[in-house]
Amino acid sequence: MTDKPNPIAKAHRKYSSDRRTFLAGLGAAAGGAVLSGPTVSAKKGTPARNVVLVIPDGQSQSQVTAARYLKAYQDDPEAFPVNATPDETQLNVDRFDTMGTMTTMPDDVGETEWGGEYEGDFTGDELDNGFQNITDSAAAGTAMSTGTKTYNGAVGGVLDYDKGFVPVKTVLEKAREAGYATGLVTTTRLTHATPATFATHWPDRDHETEIARQYIEGPLWAEPDEEKVWVDVLLGGGGREFSDDLIDKAEDKYEYVTTQSDLEDVTEGPVLGLFSESHIPYTLDRGEETPSLSYMVEKAIELLRKKGPGKSQGFFLMVEAGRVDHKAHANDPSLPHEELEADEATGVALDYANSKGTQPTLVINAGDHETGGLQMGRDAYNVNMEFINEMEISLETLWPMVEDADNVEEVVTNNTPIESLTSEEISRIEDTKWYPNTQGFPSVVSEHANIGWGSCSHSGRELPIWASGPNAEYLAGANDNTDIYKAMAQALKL
Amino acid sequence: MTDKPNPIAKAHRKYSSDRRTFLAGLGAAAGGAVLSGPTVSAKKGTPARNVVLVIPDGQSQSQVTAARYLKAYQDDPEAFPVNATPDETQLNVDRFDTMGTMTTMPDDVGETEWGGEYEGDFTGDELDNGFQNITDSAAAGTAMSTGTKTYNGAVGGVLDYDKGFVPVKTVLEKAREAGYATGLVTTTRLTHATPATFATHWPDRDHETEIARQYIEGPLWAEPDEEKVWVDVLLGGGGREFSDDLIDKAEDKYEYVTTQSDLEDVTEGPVLGLFSESHIPYTLDRGEETPSLSYMVEKAIELLRKKGPGKSQGFFLMVEAGRVDHKAHANDPSLPHEELEADEATGVALDYANSKGTQPTLVINAGDHETGGLQMGRDAYNVNMEFINEMEISLETLWPMVEDADNVEEVVTNNTPIESLTSEEISRIEDTKWYPNTQGFPSVVSEHANIGWGSCSHSGRELPIWASGPNAEYLAGANDNTDIYKAMAQALKL
């Protein structure tokens, strides 16, 4: 970083010390007011009965290309690469009617100004991460769920100069209040940032047990109600964040399942499915009792169609393909496998929206930020799709075996398409600190795959948006991520 | 690379040796047949009087974001990043009516099959670059200019199994034959791959003096004609590729200019403007007698409106912002300055298309491939726009001074926003081999700017396309780069 004075950084530092002062006086009491996010004209827009928002976490056009390349290679390796055109290898994103782009930057803590009444137990220390102008999943999720910009780490709320953290009502909560059925489906922990921003509120994304509590007991800003269900379908990972007590409470309202077979047997909601203690395993690592994202989406739609206070009212469903981002953070060149699942799940939503008898359904696919700077090709005008296609285990799952190996080369060649390693590569692998690491084990494997990475982190790149169905045209052209909220809220007349 | 057999690579190797055999028998005679590229239905589509195709070389959505961030920061550093939304910081690409995406892969030399009569002096050695499935600018340019996939390095033609290199008639040449005025404007050498693919034909992009010859004497496949002008407006760099003899020939048909003032004085074409011996300097390095890309576009349109065999016929103009790609190859974090010029030039074309009295004009903006894996942000959720804004010289221009410096730190701190260097950074700079280099001088500067790079090369990422005017809707949704040709040819009824 330059040492010259940065006016923004200075403003931030000044603000940070101010913040410490006023936040020190805050009590720990929860409850109180909630903000409502930007108003959209309910008179404009085309009404939808249902909305499905698919968020492949970390998806930019590069990740989409990766999926198309893998699909084309799997279809016909001899014809690759010229069969990787949209005509010959269609992805589900190609089926959308409308496309646009969106910016994703967070607000920085020095600029957030809101009125409101809420006083939580927010000390401000959670924000001590320096000036940030590239979004994380919490700020990006909050932008899409509430239409408001916030600081990185914020779940469903903004920072008020005087009041601390203030919740903002989400599209899901408004939909529930208007009588729609609601659902959240993800391959991450359900308590992870992206799904959390749609139905819970907390100044710090890392407080996942609190997020779990709010899913079951209701959002922070709402009156406690032991019977009320806010999210009819909750499917994902994160079992470790739900205490036994909380599961007991959940079972008063929800059917609780933990396996694919159990989920198949569910015939009506509400349902809470926790299929893993932490995140749901990557597609390459998954066992048969772990449902695929596509199956979870199919089941969620089946249940949401039958469910909700007003059965004919329609539903709001958010689907996160959350682990595309994780593979990008890890610089794992098997990422295309994970993105392909995101595209398949998108296809399930589109199939439903396009099927005969379905009520008007707005389907949107949009990432929350780009991760990793994935490059298909790395200094050789050639990406090794045969290698990528043959990968059978994620690097994150493989790494503990490599780290503990007496013979690194044996473990690597037995578990990846690599046939041999140079002594320099073995040294780099042995020197690897798992994360973040742009030179170690993931980099060695990526070099074999001819995949490039820009970092282990997020970038500010504008992202593609695809939309079909009523009000899709709202998202044509250049947007900000807060426009995702506006398009959905307008379509559902919220 | 994996050592396992790769079926494609094997096919390529087999083909390569076959190719050596049949190509050995080829004579050196030029001339003969030309192919015509894919047929488009002239009955469909919306007719345009003019077409302007803007190609920011190496542009993906990431480069576009970079331009928006720089513009937003320059407009109001205190408000950055939240002022970098399309609402607050509009780019010219936001003004287009339609957007889509496109794939860009080249054909590989093992798969190209075409009929034709041409036998050139192509030995095949130029293709000895291994199997490539990520495009270069020549194959990408040829896809857009002719609607046909070809191998990397090919200029305006394809490889025939039996006949060697076969030219394919370009959209510019067809437009000229149909009576349109034609123009090529670029910030690279005019003889560089992208502009070359629109009006010349050669099996190897590196033969730039031959490309220069064809601009002046006519395309390879055409009957020699000392009076005929194929391209009415030729503006760019590359003076070194035009011999004195060739300039003499050019002056029989063209007004020949080499400075901004001379160009300003030109009142009608044809005009040949060569403003630099090699590429036109980067925006940051440019002197006042070097025209900006925006001015060249403005002048080109002014002259093309008056020019051409049929004065009311309209024109075809290709504009390349060619040095965005060069900064990405060099991993130079001042790239946003160069992309901003690309966007400004796009605005000139849109202003013309939208102005009162202008005949229907199709304007397209599309990159040819992504370069460098540019990431706005690098492991810190923060991109240092103050640093990027303060950069005043390109790294390529600065490098010889750094390389020769007795005191590296002094030269670097005097010529970049860096205030001091660590001894480790100084070592990395001193160890730098200029290109390709992902760890040396450009990497040190990029770390200060918090800019990430995936490689020094191209990637296969699908690219955004923007289009406005007649037939723009042809390019909505998912396309291949050959669709750019089809949209233009259809609009011009070629």
Side-chain angles (χ1 to χ4, degrees):
Chain A
M1 308 270 287
T2 173
D3 293 312
K4 291 187 185 177
N6 177 331
I8 301 176
K10 265 198 306 191
H12 170 58
R13 280 193 295 273
K14 177 177 180 307
Y15 172 69
S16 292
S17 57
D18 291 349
R19 180 161 51 81
R20 299 247 176 283
T21 312
F22 79 73
L23 286 168
L26 290 182
V34 59
L35 294 165
S36 189
T39 305
V40 288
S41 168
K43 289 185 185 162
K44 294 184 183 169
T46 317
R49 190 66 69 94
N50 312 304
V51 169
V52 183
L53 170 62
V54 182
I55 304 178
D57 200 300
Q59 173 190 282
S60 74
Q61 194 69 48
S62 196
Q63 281 75 11
V64 173
T65 305
R68 195 188 306 274
Y69 272 37
L70 180 59
K71 192 174 181 190
Y73 186 86
Q74 289 175 341
D75 285 350
D76 187 352
E78 295 277 342
F80 186 83
V82 285
N83 69 336
T85 61
D87 277 352
E88 292 195 48
T89 303
Q90 192 187 45
L91 292 180
N92 286 297
V93 292
D94 302 344
R95 298 167 60 194
F96 284 96
D97 296 332
T98 303
M99 79 165 297
T101 62
M102 68 180 186
T103 49
T104 67
M105 73 292 292
D107 200 354
D108 77 273
V109 296
E111 291 176 315
T112 309
E113 286 196 67
W114 275 88
E117 300 301 320
Y118 167 74
E119 295 187 1
D121 62 352
F122 183 46
T123 68
D125 286 339
E126 296 84 351
L127 293 184
D128 200 8
N129 48 12
F131 179 73
Q132 301 198 331
N133 56 29
I134 305 296
T135 196
D136 79 334
S137 288
T142 300
M144 292 191 276
S145 70
T146 71
T148 56
K149 292 286 193 188
T150 190
Y151 62 89
N152 283 350
V155 175
V158 296
L159 183 68
D160 178 88
Y161 269 40
D162 299 320
K163 304 293 180 185
F165 178 80
V166 185
V168 183
K169 212 177 269 191
T170 72
V171 62
L172 181 146
E173 291 160 354
K174 290 183 180 179
R176 162 44 38 109
E177 289 183 322
Y180 293 92
T182 58
L184 295 174
V185 172
T186 181
T187 48
T188 67
R189 296 190 294 273
L190 268 168
T191 50
H192 214 235
T194 304
T197 59
F198 282 82
T200 74
H201 310 266
W202 205 249
D204 175 8
R205 59 183 282 176
D206 289 341
H207 292 197
E208 295 190 41
T209 54
E210 167 61 20
I211 288 164
R213 187 195 67 73
Q214 290 185 39
Y215 278 135
I216 305 306
E217 299 187 358
L220 190 63
W221 55 266
E223 289 299 317
D225 180 336
E226 287 185 9
E227 289 178 13
K228 182 158 186 168
V229 170
W230 283 86
V231 193
D232 300 299
V233 174
L234 282 164
L235 303 177
R240 72 181 193 198
E241 309 297 340
F242 292 74
S243 68
D244 291 346
D245 277 358
L246 189 62
I247 292 293
D248 283 347
K249 284 186 185 172
E251 286 186 312
D252 291 342
K253 314 184 202 177
Y254 285 91
E255 188 155 356
Y256 171 56
V257 297
T258 58
T259 65
Q260 164 87 20
S261 339
D262 286 350
L263 181 60
E264 286 171 9
D265 292 341
V266 175
T267 54
E268 60 181 327
V271 60
L272 169 65
L274 298 171
F275 304 104
S276 181
E277 284 299 298
S278 180
H279 305 305
I280 288 182
Y282 293 111
T283 53
L284 292 183
D285 306 337
R286 208 171 279 165
E288 63 182 19
E289 271 302 338
T290 308
S292 70
L293 184 60
S294 293
Y295 181 71
M296 289 196 288
V297 174
E298 185 186 324
K299 193 72 185 185
I301 291 174
E302 174 196 324
L303 297 174
L304 290 170
R305 287 175 62 189
K306 301 183 194 170
K307 186 62 203 170
K311 290 195 182 180
S312 63
Q313 180 68 45
F315 61 82
F316 170 83
L317 172 63
M318 191 290 298
V319 175
E320 185 201 21
R323 308 215 69 196
V324 176
D325 172 65
H326 297 173
K327 280 206 175 167
H329 275 289
N331 286 189
D332 182 339
S334 70
L335 180 145
H337 294 272
E338 207 68 23
E339 174 69 21
L340 209 46
E341 175 173 67
D343 192 68
E344 287 162 2
T346 302
V348 173
L350 286 171
D351 287 346
Y352 170 70
N354 297 336
S355 60
K356 202 175 165 185
T358 296
Q359 297 290 327
T361 301
L362 170 63
V363 183
I364 300 170
N365 176 305
D368 52 352
H369 51 75
E370 184 274 337
T371 309
L374 169 67
Q375 251 201 331
M376 301 300 289
R378 177 178 181 136
D379 292 326
Y381 293 83
N382 184 17
V383 58
N384 190 341
M385 290 311 300
E386 182 191 24
F387 185 100
I388 292 165
N389 185 46
E390 287 180 0
M391 290 184 79
E392 291 178 350
I393 182 172
S394 72
L395 297 192
E396 186 181 329
T397 301
L398 180 57
W399 173 242
M401 290 153 63
V402 175
E403 192 174 22
D404 292 343
D406 293 327
N407 185 333
V408 161
E409 186 170 22
E410 188 177 279
V411 173
V412 170
T413 56
N414 284 347
N415 291 283
T416 73
I418 293 173
E419 295 233 323
S420 64
L421 290 170
T422 66
S423 56
E424 182 261 347
E425 289 175 325
I426 292 171
S427 299
R428 283 167 61 197
I429 293 172
E430 288 174 344
D431 291 345
T432 301
K433 178 174 73 74
W434 171 246
Y435 180 81
N437 192 307
T438 58
Q439 301 302 320
F441 176 53
S443 180
V444 169
V445 183
S446 294
E447 286 166 14
H448 282 259
N450 265 332
I451 289 278
W453 300 98
S455 77
C456 293
S457 187
H458 300 178
S459 79
R461 188 187 308 168
E462 294 169 22
L463 304 178
I465 303 172
W466 288 275
S468 270
N471 222 32
E473 65 280 6
Y474 191 100
L475 296 169
N479 299 276
D480 181 57
N481 56 2
T482 50
D483 291 318
I484 298 279
Y485 167 84
K486 294 173 192 167
M488 299 189 299
Q490 192 175 64
L492 293 176
K493 304 283 179 202
L494 302 177
Chain B
M1 307 269 288
T2 173
D3 294 311
K4 291 187 185 177
N6 176 332
I8 301 176
K10 266 199 306 192
H12 170 58
R13 280 192 295 272
K14 177 177 180 307
Y15 172 68
S16 292
S17 57
D18 291 349
R19 180 161 51 81
R20 300 249 175 282
T21 312
F22 80 73
L23 286 168
L26 290 181
V34 58
L35 294 165
S36 189
T39 305
V40 288
S41 168
K43 289 184 185 163
K44 294 184 183 170
T46 317
R49 190 66 69 95
N50 312 304
V51 169
V52 183
L53 170 62
V54 182
I55 304 177
D57 201 300
Q59 173 190 282
S60 74
Q61 195 69 48
S62 196
Q63 281 75 12
V64 173
T65 305
R68 195 189 305 275
Y69 272 37
L70 180 59
K71 192 175 181 190
Y73 186 86
Q74 289 175 341
D75 285 351
D76 186 353
E78 295 277 342
F80 186 83
V82 285
N83 69 336
T85 60
D87 277 353
E88 292 196 47
T89 303
Q90 192 187 46
L91 292 180
N92 286 297
V93 293
D94 302 344
R95 298 167 60 193
F96 284 97
D97 296 332
T98 302
M99 79 165 297
T101 62
M102 68 180 186
T103 49
T104 67
M105 73 292 292
D107 201 354
D108 76 273
V109 295
E111 291 176 315
T112 310
E113 286 195 67
W114 275 87
E117 300 301 320
Y118 167 74
E119 295 187 1
D121 62 352
F122 182 46
T123 68
D125 286 339
E126 296 85 350
L127 293 184
D128 199 8
N129 48 12
F131 179 74
Q132 301 198 331
N133 56 30
I134 306 295
T135 196
D136 79 333
S137 289
T142 300
M144 293 190 275
S145 70
T146 71
T148 55
K149 292 287 194 186
T150 190
Y151 61 89
N152 283 350
V155 175
V158 296
L159 182 68
D160 178 88
Y161 268 41
D162 299 320
K163 304 292 180 185
F165 178 80
V166 185
V168 183
K169 212 176 268 191
T170 72
V171 62
L172 180 147
E173 291 160 353
K174 289 183 180 181
R176 161 45 37 110
E177 289 183 322
Y180 293 92
T182 59
L184 295 175
V185 172
T186 181
T187 48
T188 68
R189 296 190 294 272
L190 268 168
T191 50
H192 214 236
T194 304
T197 59
F198 282 81
T200 74
H201 310 266
W202 204 249
D204 175 7
R205 59 183 282 177
D206 289 341
H207 291 197
E208 294 190 42
T209 53
E210 167 61 19
I211 288 164
R213 186 194 68 74
Q214 290 185 40
Y215 278 135
I216 305 306
E217 300 188 358
L220 190 63
W221 55 266
E223 289 299 316
D225 180 336
E226 287 186 8
E227 290 178 12
K228 182 158 186 168
V229 170
W230 283 86
V231 193
D232 300 300
V233 174
L234 282 165
L235 303 177
R240 72 181 193 199
E241 309 297 340
F242 292 74
S243 67
D244 291 346
D245 277 358
L246 190 61
I247 292 293
D248 283 346
K249 284 186 185 173
E251 287 186 311
D252 291 342
K253 313 185 202 177
Y254 284 91
E255 188 155 356
Y256 171 56
V257 297
T258 58
T259 65
Q260 164 86 20
S261 340
D262 286 350
L263 181 60
E264 286 170 9
D265 292 341
V266 176
T267 53
E268 59 181 326
V271 60
L272 169 65
L274 298 171
F275 305 103
S276 181
E277 284 299 298
S278 180
H279 305 304
I280 288 182
Y282 293 110
T283 53
L284 292 183
D285 305 337
R286 209 171 280 165
E288 63 182 18
E289 271 302 338
T290 308
S292 70
L293 184 61
S294 292
Y295 181 71
M296 289 195 289
V297 174
E298 186 186 323
K299 193 73 185 185
I301 290 173
E302 174 196 325
L303 297 174
L304 290 170
R305 287 174 63 189
K306 301 183 193 169
K307 185 63 203 169
K311 289 195 182 181
S312 63
Q313 180 68 46
F315 61 82
F316 170 83
L317 172 63
M318 191 289 298
V319 175
E320 185 201 22
R323 309 216 67 196
V324 176
D325 172 66
H326 297 173
K327 280 206 175 166
H329 275 290
N331 286 190
D332 182 339
S334 70
L335 180 145
H337 294 272
E338 207 68 24
E339 175 69 22
L340 209 46
E341 175 173 67
D343 192 68
E344 287 162 2
T346 302
V348 173
L350 286 171
D351 287 346
Y352 170 70
N354 297 336
S355 60
K356 202 175 166 186
T358 296
Q359 297 290 327
T361 301
L362 170 63
V363 183
I364 300 170
N365 175 306
D368 53 351
H369 51 74
E370 184 274 337
T371 309
L374 169 67
Q375 251 201 331
M376 301 300 288
R378 176 178 182 136
D379 292 326
Y381 293 83
N382 183 18
V383 58
N384 190 342
M385 290 311 300
E386 181 191 25
F387 185 100
I388 292 165
N389 185 46
E390 287 180 0
M391 291 184 78
E392 291 178 350
I393 182 172
S394 72
L395 297 193
E396 186 180 329
T397 301
L398 179 57
W399 173 241
M401 290 153 63
V402 175
E403 192 175 22
D404 292 344
D406 293 327
N407 185 333
V408 162
E409 186 171 21
E410 188 176 280
V411 173
V412 170
T413 55
N414 284 347
N415 291 283
T416 73
I418 293 173
E419 295 233 323
S420 64
L421 290 170
T422 66
S423 56
E424 181 260 347
E425 288 175 325
I426 292 171
S427 299
R428 283 167 61 197
I429 292 172
E430 288 174 344
D431 291 345
T432 301
K433 178 174 73 74
W434 171 246
Y435 181 81
N437 192 307
T438 58
Q439 301 302 320
F441 176 53
S443 180
V444 169
V445 183
S446 294
E447 286 166 14
H448 282 259
N450 265 332
I451 290 278
W453 300 97
S455 77
C456 293
S457 188
H458 300 178
S459 79
R461 187 186 309 167
E462 294 169 22
L463 304 177
I465 302 172
W466 288 275
S468 270
N471 222 32
E473 65 280 5
Y474 191 100
L475 296 170
N479 300 276
D480 181 56
N481 56 1
T482 50
D483 291 317
I484 298 279
Y485 167 84
K486 294 173 192 167
M488 299 188 299
Q490 192 175 64
L492 293 176
K493 304 282 179 202
L494 301 177

